[in-house]
Amino acid sequence: MKTLDAIYPILRYAETVTLDELPSKVVEITKRFILDTFAVMAAGTRAPGCKEVIEQLRDWGGKPEATVADGGCKLPAPY
């Protein structure tokens, strides 16, 4: 497929690049984004209705393949 050809050099680079090769500003910003993601996940687990949504998804069943952040269970990945 011709339209996807451009992605392969990017993927190859992502597979082989080392931390030392990245600009320090990129590393700093990436660390901040990762920390922010975990903070939002932690806050979101205590949001109103979150427990009820997890219980509903558990009731629906399916293959337990993805860990629910602070949910104490695993659910199907699409959930």
Side-chain angles (χ1 to χ4, degrees), residues 11-74:
L11 292 174
R12 252 190 316 278
Y13 174 75
E15 282 182 327
T16 60
V17 70
T18 65
L19 190 60
D20 294 333
E21 295 173 304
L22 296 172
S24 61
K25 192 70 175 173
V26 169
V27 174
E28 176 188 336
I29 291 170
T30 301
K31 286 179 180 180
R32 190 171 297 146
F33 282 138
I34 292 169
L35 182 59
D36 182 63
T37 298
F38 284 119
V40 170
M41 284 172 45
T45 60
R46 290 165 182 76
C50 189
K51 180 181 173 188
E52 291 80 7
V53 169
I54 292 172
E55 286 304 315
Q56 179 64 57
L57 293 173
R58 288 176 84 173
D59 288 347
W60 287 348
K63 186 178 178 184
E65 55 197 355
T67 301
V68 177
D70 204 29
C73 65
K74 288 188 173 216

